[in-house]
Amino acid sequence: MLSAHEFATLVLVNETPDQVDLDFADVAALLKNQLVTFEELGPSCRRPQVTLQGYVVLKAFGRSRARTCQTTPASR
């Protein structure tokens, strides 16, 4: 079970993945529960990213948002 702080951190990671003021203990708990992972952006730069299991938790609480997906028209 997630604490209120851990759930709030999961919501923040989902809505603003570039957030820099995340509590390490909360992120560690989310990593342990496999709700987030880290995306490598460079040799010394990474950011948290919600996993499929994390989206399931967010959806269960009504906090997941549909991502906008842009497609290009098919060539004729």
Side-chain angles (χ1 to χ4, degrees), residues 25-68:
D26 294 335
V27 173
L30 296 175
L31 283 167
K32 180 181 175 192
N33 289 304
Q34 299 178 346
L35 301 177
V36 298
T37 187
F38 279 105
E39 175 185 10
E40 298 292 331
L41 300 175
S44 63
C45 185
R46 59 188 186 163
R47 70 174 172 199
Q49 182 176 11
V50 177
T51 64
L52 181 59
Q53 293 92 331
Y55 284 118
V56 169
V57 170
L58 289 168
K59 185 175 180 183
F61 284 94
R63 294 296 305 194
S64 65
R65 293 184 181 180
R67 302 282 177 174
T68 304

